[in-house]
Amino acid sequence: MTAATSSTLFPQGSTPGGYEATPRDADAVLDGLDPEQREVATSLHGAVCVLAGAGTGKTRAITHRIAYGVRAGILQPASVLAVTFTNRAAGEMRGRLRQLGAGGVQARTFHSAALRQLQYFWPKAVGGEVPRLVERKVQLVAEAAARCRVRLDRNELRDVTGEIEWSKVTQTVPEDYPAVAAKSGREAPRDTAEIGRIYATYEQLKRDRGVIDFEDVLLLTVGVLQERPDIADQVRRQYQHFVVDEYQDVSPLQQRLLELWLGDRDSLCVVGDASQTIYSFTGATPDHLLNFRTRHPGATMVKLIRDYRSTPQVVHLANGLLSQARGRAAEHRLELVSQREAGPDPAYAAYQDEPAEAEGTARRIRELITPVEQGGGGVPASQIAVLYRVNAQSELYEQALADAQVPYQLRGAERFFERPEVREAGLLLRGAARGGSADPALADVDIPSQVRAVLGTRGWTPEPPAGSGAVRDRWESLAALVRLAEDFAASRPGATLSDLVAELDERAAAQHAPTVEGVTLASLHAAKGLEWDAVFLVGLTEGMMPITYAKTEQQIEEERRLLYVGVTRARRHLTLSWALSRAPGGRASRRPTRFLNGLRPGSQAMGAARTPGGSGGIERGAAAPGGGGAVRRRRGPVHCRVCGRALTDAGEMKLMRCEGCPSELDEALYERLRDWRAEQAGLLGQPAYCVFTDKTLLAIAEAVPGTESELTRISGVGRRKLDRFGADVLALCAGRELSSAVDGEGGVEAG
């Protein structure tokens, strides 16, 4: 579920202040930069290395650097290539540069820049057209495995594909894979010799079919530039100044491509933070950042440590995490200094089990999004995130937020500009823009009003529809476009509807979607580069943080950096939580992550370089007696009602029996319950699972409860659901007809 928001949609600086007008001249580009950012912006000759901590305005510094060079006549826009790692970041950089009056600069990902060059030079270097690009290599890898007589399940297939990608970005050929993987300490998903054979067969399949993958784009570009000095010279004449963002994430292959672009020149500016290196499993390494001074002895080094994002309390915890780190990256850590006003201390919450943790988190989020005048925090849902270590953890939080009637969005779901309703809206707005110039009635109508009128024909209304589901999702997408139009009009006085359509087209090409009004659920890896007013870091137990398969010191330290990235996503509110057992009734044997030792109240540092003193945090929802608000009553173990075995699987506990034990399902009752649930969901505009999940309906149809007490013993039937749906469910179990599908209130409080 998603909802629109008026949050930042168009480029602006890292520091508060909203949209920036286009600077009148080069000197005005420097206005508002702090001394270190100004040093970055004015260091336009020779190699420059910027060590930029989280929230220190690195994108602001490098975009103002490029814009200052262009506006001062030192850099020609077409001669600058700015490289980053995601289309979103590249789109944001292009938008900021346009706003600063440097619109002709190329800002692209490594792959995008390489593909353009490959397409342009392929006829000259090789002849004919560039081979077709395979966007998803999984199917080819599966075919290669089958040819090698190796059976891979879905997870193994994904992991073997990842090993092939890692091999290619580290420039490892198939026959060398087993030895290189062993030397690198890779935890291979299968025998390394098997993977090497699959890798070799995969490469042969591509050659046979005349196709290439994304890694080949870089490899082939490197090959062309190495083998054809004339082409390399042509590229170097075109691009004479390079800027690389997130330099700690470059792979050996990307570094080789960068060196070929650069040649023997030193007109290079790199920006990175070794403490945010969290993608080593893909081949990324901070060594290029840490060795920059060695390769470029005369380089200018600038450190950005003024944190404009987070409160002193959040920054204090982030610094404390890194103070205990070890290894080379830790030696180059940056001690951040918050530039914001004080905020609440980070809160620490222990829960009895994982469902309790999810419910407690949803309850706290509900409080945060409640308007201030109603006693809540007044934080927009779009400015809240729940971050976890692995995607499999999201299900509990999806259910808990749905039960609490809190809208949410999964990071990594369908891209905004690819949604059918957004594509349709774009076509309608494009038609209105073409026809508007001939319609004098539209001459005095502002852009937002024109957009509202157009989208009103496709389901947008000033007020959202009740409930959730497909109708609400469609409205939220259209509402996001309306808010985008409002922000665009505010930032571009005098702009026309055609200008807005052009902006939408560029954003669609860059996948630069507006923010939507819903709590974000995302993995810690997916949260990199983003920020929210309130962040909930959940599931922080040993075995999950650090993850079980992190064995070596290097792997453990990367897990610490991953938590550091999570902490530094928060602007003001930060909650860190863990569950003492996985399931209700389980043994409370889990321990909170070692990374919080010496930082959370009541814990002792273990092997820390130093323990920072200071504010500490609030132990909220502790599991011990008297621990506060998030305590749930202790429940005994759940036993199978057929064989008596203690249950630990969440699905089995809902059914109150082992998955393999004989079922006593009343199939007719189950069908009646499903029909009733569908009618409820349809009338209330909510997904069916917000009424009851499939497992809960199965459990009801098997147990056939006759009283409220018996009904509440079924997992998934809480007090509020009992109050709302109990009478209907018991009537259906008793075989009685229902007089009405919904109550007279016209709504449902799922929970």
Side-chain angles (χ1 to χ4, degrees):
M1 296 180 288
T2 58
T5 182
S6 58
S7 184
T8 305
L9 300 179
F10 286 87
Q12 58 179 312
S14 298
T15 50
Y19 294 100
E20 304 174 67
T22 300
R24 63 185 180 280
D25 54 29
D27 288 339
V29 172
L30 304 178
D31 291 347
L33 300 183
D34 66 33
E36 294 80 21
Q37 292 172 342
R38 183 179 285 252
E39 178 69 19
V40 174
T42 55
S43 297
L44 292 169
H45 300 286
V48 178
C49 180
V50 184
L51 301 178
T56 57
K58 66 179 179 65
T59 305
R60 180 179 178 85
I62 58 177
T63 51
H64 282 246
R65 178 182 192 272
I66 296 169
Y68 177 72
V70 169
R71 300 291 296 276
I74 300 171
L75 303 176
Q76 294 302 311
S79 73
V80 180
L81 178 58
V83 187
T84 187
F85 280 81
T86 66
N87 286 325
R88 179 182 179 277
E92 180 184 356
M93 191 176 290
R94 286 195 296 272
R96 291 194 188 199
L97 289 170
R98 282 203 316 273
Q99 191 76 29
L100 292 168
V105 173
Q106 291 289 315
R108 296 184 174 275
T109 65
F110 270 103
H111 284 88
S112 172
L115 183 59
R116 274 187 98 220
Q117 292 175 19
L118 196 63
Q119 290 170 333
Y120 183 80
F121 290 112
W122 188 270
K124 179 179 180 181
V126 181
E129 294 185 354
V130 178
R132 182 173 61 86
L133 183 64
V134 176
E135 295 194 6
R136 293 185 73 252
K137 60 174 68 70
V138 170
Q139 292 169 332
L140 267 180
V141 175
E143 186 174 342
R147 291 198 177 191
C148 293
R149 299 180 184 275
V150 177
R151 293 176 61 87
L152 300 176
D153 64 27
R154 183 183 301 175
N155 292 329
E156 289 175 323
L157 180 59
R158 182 195 62 203
D159 291 342
V160 168
T161 301
E163 288 301 292
I164 291 174
E165 292 172 347
W166 173 82
S167 298
K168 298 183 78 165
V169 301
T170 57
Q171 302 175 83
T172 302
V173 295
E175 54 267 29
D176 292 343
Y177 169 76
V180 175
K183 184 178 179 181
S184 304
R186 300 285 293 181
E187 291 283 342
R190 297 285 296 232
D191 177 75
T192 54
E194 278 187 343
I195 294 176
R197 290 199 305 274
I198 296 170
Y199 177 14
T201 306
Y202 166 76
E203 292 297 312
Q204 185 61 51
L205 279 172
K206 287 197 289 108
R207 286 192 293 271
D208 292 345
R209 295 174 187 181
V211 298
I212 59 175
D213 61 25
F214 275 106
E215 289 72 40
D216 291 329
V217 170
L218 300 184
L219 284 164
L220 290 169
T221 306
V222 165
V224 168
L225 297 178
Q226 285 181 159
E227 298 299 322
R228 294 290 299 266
D230 57 326
I231 291 177
D233 287 343
Q234 189 173 342
V235 171
R236 291 167 193 158
R237 286 195 300 271
Q238 170 69 48
Y239 295 117
Q240 299 170 18
H241 193 88
F242 297 86
V243 177
V244 184
D245 194 9
E246 303 287 3
Y247 192 55
Q248 78 280 350
D249 288 334
V250 296
S251 68
L253 179 57
Q254 290 165 332
Q255 175 64 21
R256 180 62 186 139
L257 177 59
L258 179 62
E259 290 167 354
L260 287 166
W261 283 339
L262 196 61
D264 58 2
R265 301 166 296 175
D266 63 354
S267 53
L268 170 66
C269 174
V270 300
V271 189
D273 179 8
S275 296
Q276 296 189 66
T277 305
I278 59 173
Y279 296 110
S280 66
F281 61 92
T282 67
T285 171
D287 290 346
H288 307 301
L289 175 67
L290 300 178
N291 294 335
F292 191 83
R293 202 73 177 271
T294 303
R295 295 195 311 278
H296 303 274
T300 299
M301 305 290 290
V302 184
K303 293 183 179 180
L304 302 183
I305 62 169
R306 301 174 197 251
D307 188 323
Y308 296 97
R309 176 187 298 159
S310 305
T311 63
Q313 288 77 6
V314 172
V315 168
H316 177 76
L317 176 57
N319 287 336
L321 275 173
L322 291 189
S323 73
Q324 302 181 12
R326 300 177 177 85
R328 191 170 179 223
E331 294 170 6
H332 295 265
R333 69 185 181 87
L334 299 169
E335 185 89 11
L336 300 178
V337 180
S338 175
Q339 306 298 298
R340 292 194 56 180
E341 71 284 353
D345 287 326
Y348 300 87
Y351 294 89
Q352 194 63 39
D353 51 62
E354 288 183 0
E357 184 180 9
E359 291 167 16
T361 300
R363 186 164 55 248
R364 174 63 181 138
I365 290 172
R366 181 83 255 177
E367 294 168 1
L368 275 177
I369 64 178
T370 299
V372 173
E373 56 270 22
Q374 297 177 23
V379 179
S382 63
Q383 291 303 320
I384 301 173
V386 178
L387 307 180
Y388 33 75
R389 178 61 181 83
V390 296
N391 285 319
Q393 293 171 270
S394 74
E395 184 182 4
L396 279 173
Y397 293 89
E398 292 180 60
Q399 183 66 65
L401 291 171
D403 286 349
Q405 296 219 302
V406 174
Y408 66 85
Q409 56 173 331
L410 279 168
R411 177 112 183 122
E414 185 180 33
R415 289 174 173 176
F416 180 83
F417 287 104
E418 292 177 357
R419 297 175 186 173
E421 64 270 21
V422 175
R423 291 201 301 267
E424 181 187 28
L427 291 173
L428 290 171
L429 290 172
R430 192 171 291 109
R434 285 197 300 267
S437 58
D439 187 351
L442 293 177
D444 297 323
V445 179
D446 60 31
I447 293 175
S449 296
Q450 293 180 57
V451 172
R452 293 187 199 102
V454 171
L455 300 188
T457 66
R458 287 300 183 271
W460 179 83
T461 56
E463 295 297 323
S468 57
V471 173
R472 177 64 181 252
D473 287 347
R474 178 183 174 85
W475 182 90
E476 305 290 11
S477 296
L478 299 179
L481 287 174
V482 170
R483 291 182 184 275
L484 191 152
E486 292 168 350
D487 282 7
F488 181 76
S491 66
R492 296 271 299 274
T496 66
L497 187 59
S498 295
D499 295 328
L500 174 63
V501 169
E503 180 73 19
L504 291 176
D505 289 342
E506 183 160 340
R507 281 169 168 267
Q511 293 302 330
H512 187 190
T515 310
V516 293
E517 184 67 38
V519 172
T520 298
L521 297 178
S523 70
L524 286 163
H525 282 103
K528 178 74 165 60
L530 304 175
E531 58 187 76
W532 296 270
D533 287 344
V535 169
F536 291 80
L537 301 176
V538 300
L540 300 181
T541 59
E542 286 289 311
M544 192 59 74
M545 177 59 65
I547 199 77
T548 305
Y549 51 75
K551 304 291 187 186
T552 67
E553 180 175 305
Q554 291 83 359
Q555 291 168 337
I556 296 293
E557 287 305 314
E558 181 147 338
E559 292 289 299
R560 188 193 307 274
R561 294 194 295 270
L562 190 56
L563 181 57
Y564 171 79
V565 166
V567 167
T568 55
R569 300 309 94 196
R571 297 192 191 105
R572 180 173 174 82
H573 303 279
L574 177 64
T575 300
L576 305 95
S577 65
W578 56 92
L580 300 179
S581 65
R582 187 177 70 82
R587 189 162 61 91
S589 58
R590 288 180 167 181
R591 291 179 294 121
T593 175
R594 71 191 75 171
F595 299 145
L596 296 179
N597 288 340
L599 301 175
R600 62 182 177 86
S603 65
Q604 295 294 318
M606 295 177 62
R610 64 178 178 85
T611 303
S615 61
I618 302 165
E619 193 82 39
R620 176 176 289 145
V631 176
R632 277 165 60 105
R633 67 182 185 274
R634 297 185 68 90
R635 290 176 282 192
V638 179
H639 293 279
C640 173
R641 52 190 167 80
V642 180
C643 71
R645 181 178 70 87
L647 303 176
T648 57
D649 179 77
E652 290 182 341
M653 286 190 290
K654 272 189 177 291
L655 293 174
M656 296 182 67
R657 65 169 174 82
C658 302
E659 200 74 56
C661 282
S663 167
E664 302 166 358
L665 176 68
D666 183 332
E667 293 186 7
L669 173 59
Y670 181 60
E671 289 305 317
R672 289 199 302 274
L673 287 167
R674 283 176 60 86
D675 291 344
W676 165 82
R677 182 183 66 171
E679 187 176 359
Q680 287 275 344
L683 289 171
L684 300 173
Q686 292 203 339
Y689 66 77
C690 286
V691 181
F692 284 121
T693 64
D694 287 344
K695 288 282 190 184
T696 300
L697 287 191
L698 277 171
I700 293 170
E702 290 185 4
V704 195
T707 66
E708 286 191 357
S709 176
E710 292 173 356
L711 183 56
T712 56
R713 284 201 286 269
I714 295 172
S715 179
V717 184
R719 167 50 59 183
R720 280 183 291 178
K721 286 197 175 182
L722 179 70
D723 292 343
R724 182 67 66 187
F725 303 125
D728 281 4
V729 171
L730 291 174
L732 288 168
C733 289
R736 296 195 298 271
E737 293 295 324
L738 300 180
S739 57
S740 173
V742 303
D743 60 25
E745 298 178 28
V748 57
E749 182 182 8

